[in-house]
Amino acid sequence: MPSRYESLVRRLYRTNLYNPVKLGLNNIELLLGRLECPYIKDGGEGRKAKIIHIAGTNGKGSVAYKIASTLTEAGVKTGLFVSPHVSSFRERCQVDFECITEAEVTEYLPNIFDKCRESDIPATFFEITTALALEYFKARSVDAIVLETGLGGRLDSTNIVESDIAVVTSIGLEHTRILGDTVELIAKEKAGIFKPGRPALIGVDLPTNVMEDHARDVGTKIVYTRPPGETGNFTEMDFDAQNSEIAGRAIEEALKIKGWEKIRRKVERGHIDIGLSRRPPCRYETKTTTGENGKQITVILDVAHNPPALQQLIKKLDAEHPGRKLRFVVGMSSDKDLSLCAKTILSRVEAKQIHLVEAVHPRAAKLEDILSAGGPPLSGCNYNLTSRGVSVQTSLALNLASSSSSDEIVVICGSVFLMASAREAIGIIEPRDSDFIAKEAGANLRADLQEHFGNRVLSEDEGEDLDEVRRR
């Protein structure tokens, strides 16, 4: 018998089956208005928290994590909204790095569903989850909120808030049907989070002309992490230094803002150093576990899930652990270049050092497809067509590393969908969704776009196309 919490979250995941919507902020504006949210323009009563809003193709989650870490370290009560989650839905809504509790979800979510029903608001999974986070932050009376956009910026449901500072970390080609098929179009969408008269910080090597034009139209000024054209000396093998610099600059600019005096008095250099040193889970996360024979094994978890990311991961591994033998546990999403992913990993290790897994998710690449894409060079790798899951191969990899005469490092990488099981297999104890929830999430979020827009983005009979929406 599922718990009340499980039933509610399962219902939340199922909303995208029924609510195909137009791109835009109408749903979230109506919903938060009904909830009397204090964080929107002309919002309800309540503590007016200071808000940092972050968008970007890559790095936005890490930058959000580092900023929130700094503020929490300084004793500032801080709400953090991020996506996607690794092991539990509750990770998306945190205060001072404590996840929203099951009891709090069951307290706030029914009221949000009721408001949607009463006002006929066809909100999607991501819109409702955004509302849940803001209700949670309101109830906890946070002093600061760090919001990560889900997709894009201008039309993302998080863009309804009145932020104090906007941050755009990076621009790359992603979700091109929604955001545009050029870097410039995507940059314009990301810049859509800029607010009049509020600082707009941008990362390194972005299309500054687009950003400057949009800032001028909005009525704000661009703040550069580094002067235009200066890319810095960031290592090509790890973007953590770049994310840290952007996060540090964002904190520096936020503390200058009028109204931030109370927070400014709390934040010291030491808090910033500690906050910037931290990484989110599964971003080159290093753990130690004990093998069957008592041997200590180093395990590195990283959501490198495409060829460029895998190349960076291998370069970083070689730089930090030169000469060390590596053993890879890897599973991919079906929409990636499986052939090039296999070739990238095989450039560093023999096939016998590779363990292929298949996450329990509709987007997970089948073992047969990975083996076919890898071709003969991948023959001799470890896999099990009967037990395809992550835990079996992770346990085997740990046992082989434990019995090896060399000091092997086990690297678990690829799709975020495999990380919850991998973390459990190496003994990490943390909140984790039950199978009752996880199966529903996998069934109804077949693509990351669906978190935000439901099963279709715009229907033909609605008389609009995406190019027209982007021009607005």
Side-chain angles (χ1 to χ4, degrees):
M1 183 73 178
S3 67
R4 173 71 168 153
Y5 165 78
E6 289 174 317
S7 297
L8 283 168
V9 175
R10 184 181 173 98
R11 177 184 172 186
L12 173 57
Y13 276 114
R14 291 181 66 83
T15 56
N16 281 8
L17 290 175
Y18 311 112
N19 293 340
V21 296
K22 296 180 181 182
L23 290 168
L25 300 177
N26 289 344
N27 283 345
I28 193 68
E29 184 175 14
L30 288 170
L31 179 54
L32 293 184
R34 288 299 314 277
L35 293 168
E36 298 182 350
C37 176
Y39 310 126
I40 63 175
K41 188 175 182 180
D42 300 323
E45 295 297 320
R47 184 189 295 269
K48 306 293 185 181
K50 307 306 177 187
I51 300 176
I52 298 178
H53 196 193
I54 305 168
T57 301
N58 290 307
K60 64 182 185 294
S62 293
V63 169
Y65 193 91
K66 290 171 183 291
I67 293 172
S69 292
T70 298
L71 296 175
T72 297
E73 191 70 28
V76 179
K77 187 182 255 188
T78 304
L80 174 65
F81 180 58
V82 291
S83 61
H85 61 267
V86 174
S87 296
S88 170
F89 167 79
R90 297 191 290 116
E91 297 167 23
R92 294 169 180 256
C93 312
Q94 304 178 37
V95 171
D96 291 342
F97 290 95
E98 290 185 3
C99 297
I100 187 172
T101 65
E102 292 186 7
E104 287 166 321
V105 172
T106 59
E107 180 181 353
Y108 308 133
L109 199 49
N111 184 46
I112 296 172
F113 284 139
D114 287 344
K115 291 294 188 287
C116 288
R117 177 180 51 80
E118 292 165 3
S119 301
D120 195 23
I121 303 170
T124 61
F125 170 88
F126 193 75
E127 290 167 337
I128 293 173
T129 305
T130 301
L132 173 65
L134 296 178
E135 282 292 277
Y136 172 52
F137 299 154
K138 177 175 71 174
R140 294 290 299 272
S141 298
V142 298
D143 297 308
I145 297 173
V146 182
L147 284 180
E148 177 194 3
T149 60
L151 185 151
R154 180 173 66 98
L155 301 175
D156 188 82
S157 64
T158 60
N159 201 30
I160 196 67
V161 302
E162 289 287 293
S163 61
D164 294 272
I165 179 171
V167 181
V168 178
T169 59
S170 64
I171 302 294
L173 290 174
E174 60 162 359
H175 309 308
T176 52
R177 181 168 180 261
I178 305 297
L179 303 179
D181 57 5
T182 67
V183 168
E184 287 73 22
L185 281 173
I186 293 173
K188 186 175 181 181
E189 289 298 318
K190 306 287 188 189
I193 68 170
F194 295 173
K195 299 294 187 294
R198 307 294 175 87
L201 174 72
I202 65 172
V204 176
D205 199 24
L206 274 67
T208 56
N209 56 330
V210 176
M211 296 291 183
E212 289 281 6
D213 288 346
H214 190 77
R216 192 178 306 111
D217 292 342
V218 169
T220 189
K221 290 185 178 180
I222 294 290
V223 178
Y224 292 94
T225 301
R226 290 197 171 202
E230 183 181 329
T231 58
N233 57 353
F234 303 120
T235 172
E236 64 176 346
M237 68 191 72
D238 183 14
F239 283 113
D240 188 62
Q242 183 169 337
N243 292 334
S244 294
E245 184 161 348
I246 294 170
R249 192 82 166 90
I251 294 165
E252 177 186 325
E253 290 301 316
L255 295 179
K256 297 176 183 177
I257 299 171
K258 184 178 180 181
W260 279 67
E261 292 82 6
K262 182 179 177 181
I263 294 177
R264 186 188 310 138
R265 286 193 292 269
K266 291 185 175 183
V267 178
E268 299 176 356
R269 184 67 241 178
H271 301 137
I272 297 174
D273 292 340
I274 292 172
L276 299 186
S277 70
R278 292 176 176 157
R279 296 174 184 252
C282 301
R283 273 74 164 185
Y284 204 81
E285 182 181 14
T286 303
K287 296 289 186 180
T288 301
T289 189
T290 305
E292 287 186 341
N293 60 0
K295 181 179 179 180
Q296 295 294 294
I297 305 166
T298 298
V299 180
I300 295 174
L301 302 105
D302 195 284
V303 287
H305 60 284
N306 55 38
L310 287 168
Q311 290 165 9
Q312 289 175 0
L313 172 61
I314 290 171
K315 287 177 181 177
K316 182 168 178 60
L317 287 165
D318 286 341
E320 294 200 352
H321 305 282
R324 289 281 291 276
K325 195 170 184 178
L326 305 178
R327 182 173 293 276
F328 281 84
V329 179
V330 59
M332 306 303 297
S333 293
S334 57
D335 59 347
K336 305 306 176 188
D337 187 335
L338 300 180
S339 176
L340 190 52
C341 286
K343 187 179 295 184
T344 301
I345 297 173
L346 286 165
S347 70
R348 177 57 175 82
V349 298
E350 299 177 70
K352 66 180 182 180
Q353 297 295 116
I354 298 174
H355 299 253
L356 297 182
V357 299
E358 183 179 316
V360 183
H361 195 281
R363 290 181 63 201
K366 297 293 184 185
L367 292 181
E368 293 88 344
D369 293 337
I370 301 175
L371 290 165
S372 175
L378 200 53
S379 62
C381 71
N382 302 277
Y383 64 93
N384 188 323
L385 295 178
T386 303
S387 299
R388 298 166 178 252
V390 179
S391 58
V392 170
Q393 289 300 321
T394 299
S395 296
L396 176 59
L398 292 174
N399 289 339
L400 291 173
S402 180
S403 61
S404 173
S405 57
S406 59
D407 191 14
E408 289 190 358
I409 296 175
V410 175
V411 182
I412 304 174
C413 63
S415 169
V416 68
F417 304 132
L418 63 88
M419 289 299 170
S421 296
R423 293 168 71 81
E424 185 178 46
I426 65 172
I428 296 176
I429 299 173
E430 60 189 353
R432 187 180 181 210
D433 285 342
S434 65
D435 289 342
F436 183 81
I437 293 174
K439 288 177 181 177
E440 191 68 43
N444 293 321
L445 294 181
R446 292 184 177 85
D448 51 1
L449 299 185
Q450 288 184 298
E451 280 205 4
H452 313 280
F453 305 122
N455 287 327
R456 56 191 169 92
V457 178
L458 281 175
S459 65
E460 293 180 3
D461 62 4
E462 285 168 328
E464 297 177 285
D465 61 31
L466 296 173
D467 288 336
E468 176 61 29
V469 171
R470 279 195 295 267
R471 282 194 289 269
R472 294 176 188 163

